[in-house]
């Protein structure tokens, strides 16, 4: 049978199920990654499983999100993570070593391997040919314990890249074009497999930009073949042995296809407040810009910073504007220093930040009130930058630097003749900030700080759940709406009681008070509820507040799984029109849950007691997910199975 690339990797890792779109498959996970903001929870959950050592081929714990350290909390978390890594056979990438996805691509990414990461941008490693998937921390903990990863087999979409990019048009514009065409929900239930002659012209970091931001399409993941460019990159990383050629079979079939003619693309930009609000840069030219940021896991490679430096060479950024540059990793930092790019950036007036997520997750560098910020990042959700009324645009580093020079949004093609920066034959490689696996881990003591609070759990699913609709929301609600991050809230990630006070904080300041007064309740959402981050805090904190049911028109994949994993029932309206007449304050009642979650039926009746009217809701749970929900979450389920 002829197979595409994704089918080949899944088949080689299949533990359970059939590779039929829509059916459940379980796959063996070779590698895991965590970052600090989701990692503390993941490791608390892993510890609870009482497994002496991780069972994966490779697990890495990164610290990149919570780096401001305005109090003891983050430093305590870092220390906890370092000690857990030492205790359980996990590599530890120290704070300052870089953004997890950038470092993983450089030092660990492996063609043909499966990677599960507790961060939604884990698919970045698809750029090197890994099947790399983002998930909640608990799913990653299970994978570290040797369990397979369960998912609904996605549809596999071939993205044919034809032709070649014209000057000033970049990999970022390819993924922005995908978002323009398909929107933030266009990738739900899909894996994008890139192919075609245009692939050859893209280096691994450029491919990483595309697979990274495939997360914004809602896709399960995205992947490129492993070819001579992959080998060149691995050689430059001094790990040529990690190479393995990987391509689809000639004549392999796909569930769908997208064709992009690279010659036709032009510089694109995503306007506030969604990554799919994409237009040609020329349409918004002239808009005054207050801030420009180069960095984030999407565009912070050596290539990206070198291009920025080359454009800025001998010039100064516009005086009325602030520009930040974040090298994605220590390695990028070393190499832009060595190449001279760093001094060009400094001389141009850029503020050089530590290798970390930084402004991307609102950890510093919030724009001024009502300010316009053009960023080479991947998300521009309202308020995420730290300034509620900021207008954040997303573009390529090239476009962002053009804006930095002119002080207004500028099509980079105005900067004259374009250029290509050659890929270096070799990078300065220094892995001393990655602590290797400890040889004799038994005596390692795990260090916990006072901000690390035990994980709350709930009991088994009730027979009947009743409660008020505490909030009714529209389409595309992000996890940044549900459980915001930023400098004030992110440091509380290891403390659910404390962080739960900020649920829906930027949407409705009274939400938590209401939830507490009513002893919990229900949430109603529109389409694509829970898009964005993998943070399970967006399920855990509502669970802690007593949320029992989320009823939406449709869900984003990772958040949907997180809700199940923490025992909150995610149901969809059988008839989307029933969404219209539900109101905040309505009392809902769902009964017969044991039967519903044991039966083959997937429709249940819900009573709106306030409106004296019934309506139907559906689920799409697998047999295993029903059991998890009945047990009140994945941890309870795993424990009951072990017993
Ligand atoms: C993000 O980009 O939103 C984050 C912060 O990296 C999240 C993870 C988190 O919330 O900790 C993600 O993308 O999964
Ligand atoms: Fe970090 Fe931003 Fe990437 Fe998330 S999207 S991992 S916050 S750099």
């Amino acid at each position: 049978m002829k197979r595409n690339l994704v089918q080949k990797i899944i088949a080689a890792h299949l533990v359970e199920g059939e590779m039929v779109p829509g059916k459940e498959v379980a796959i063996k996970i070779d590698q895991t990654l965590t970052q600090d903001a989701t990692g503390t929870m993941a490791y608390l959950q892993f510890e609870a499983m009482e497994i002496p050592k991780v069972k994966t081929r490779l697990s890495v714990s990164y610290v990149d999100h919570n780096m401001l350290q305005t109090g003891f909390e983050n430093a305590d978390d870092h220390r906890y993570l370092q000690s857990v890594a030492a205790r359980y056979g996990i590599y530890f990438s120290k704070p300052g070593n870089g953004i997890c996805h950038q470092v993983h691509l450089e030092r660990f990414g492996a063609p043909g391997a499966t990677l599960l990461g507790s961060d939604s941008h884990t698919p970045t490693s698809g750029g090197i040919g890994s099947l790399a998937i983002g998930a909640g921390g608990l799913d990653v903990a299970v994978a570290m314990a040797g369990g397979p990863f369960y998912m609904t087999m996605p549809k596999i979409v071939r993205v044919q890249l034809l032709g070649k990019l014209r000057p000033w048009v970049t990999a970022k514009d390819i993924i922005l074009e995908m978002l323009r065409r398909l929107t933030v929900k266009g990738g739900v239930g899909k894996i994008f497999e890139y192919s075609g002659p245009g692939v050859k012209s893209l280096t691994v970091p450029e491919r990483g930009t595309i697979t990274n931001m495939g997360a914004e399409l809602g896709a399960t993941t995205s992947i490129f073949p492993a070819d001579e460019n992959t080998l060149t990159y691995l050689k430059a990383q001094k790990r040529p042995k990690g190479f393995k050629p990987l391509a689809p079979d000639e004549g392999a079939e796909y569930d769908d296809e997208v064709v992009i003619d690279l010659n036709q693309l032009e510089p694109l930009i995503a306007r506030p407040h969604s990554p799919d609000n994409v237009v040609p840069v020329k349409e918004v030219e002239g808009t005054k810009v207050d801030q420009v940021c180069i960095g984030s896991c999407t565009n912070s490679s050596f290539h990206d910073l070198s291009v920025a430096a080359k454009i800025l060479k001998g010039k100064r950024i516009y005086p009325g504007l602030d520009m930040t540059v974040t090298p994605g990793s220590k390695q990028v930092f070393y190499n832009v220093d060595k190449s001279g790019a760093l001094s060009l950036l400094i001389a141009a007036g850029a503020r050089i930040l530590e290798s970390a997520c930084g402004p991307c997750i609102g950890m510093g560098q919030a724009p001024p009130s009502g300010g316009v910020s053009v960023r080479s990042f991947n998300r521009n959700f309202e308020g995420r930058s730290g300034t509620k009324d900021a207008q954040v645009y997303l573009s390529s580093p090239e476009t962002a630097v053009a804006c930095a020079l002119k002080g207004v949004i500028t099509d980079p093609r105005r900067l004259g003749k374009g250029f290509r920066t050659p890929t270096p034959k070799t990078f300065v490689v220094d892995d001393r900030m990655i602590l290797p696996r400890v040889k004799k881990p038994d005596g390692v003591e795990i260090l916990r700080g006072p901000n690390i609070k035990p994980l709350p759990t709930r009991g088994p699913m009730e027979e009947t759940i009743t409660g008020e609709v505490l909030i009714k929301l529209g389409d595309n609600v992000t996890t940044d709406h549900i459980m915001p991050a930023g400098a004030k809230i992110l440091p509380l990630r290891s403390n659910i009681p404390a962080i739960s006070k900020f649920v829906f904080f930027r949407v409705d300041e009274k939400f938590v008070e209401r939830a507490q007064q009513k002893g919990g309740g229900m949430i109603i959402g529109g389409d694509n509820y829970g898009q964005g981050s993998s943070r399970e805090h967006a399920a855990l904190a509502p669970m802690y507040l007593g949320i029992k049911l989320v009823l939406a028109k449709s869900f984003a994949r990772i958040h949907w799984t997180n809700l199940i994993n923490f025992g909150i029932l995610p149901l969809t309206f059988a008839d989307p029109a029933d969404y219209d007449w539900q109101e905040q304050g309505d009392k809902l009642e769902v009964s017969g849950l044991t039967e519903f979650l044991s039966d083959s039926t997937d429709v249940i009746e819900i009573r709106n007691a306030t409106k004296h009217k019934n309506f139907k809701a559906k689920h799409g749970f697998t047999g295993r997910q029903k059991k998890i929900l009945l047990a009140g979450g994945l941890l309870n389920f795993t424990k009951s199975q072990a017993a």
Side-chain angles (χ1 to χ4, degrees), residues 35 37-38 65 119-121 361 379 384 493 533-535:
Q35 40 90 340
T38 55
H65 281 65
D119 190 281
S120 65
H121 290 103
I361 191 62
R379 287 184 176 151
R384 180 175 161 104
R493 282 289 181 91
S533 154
S534 68
R535 61 190 73 149

Side-chain angles (χ1 to χ4, degrees), residues 65 99-101 119 121 296-297 357 360-361 378-379 384:
H65 281 65
I99 307 173
C100 54
H101 311 301
D119 190 281
H121 290 103
S296 93
C297 54
C357 298
C360 176
I361 191 62
N378 50 32
R379 287 184 176 151
R384 180 175 161 104

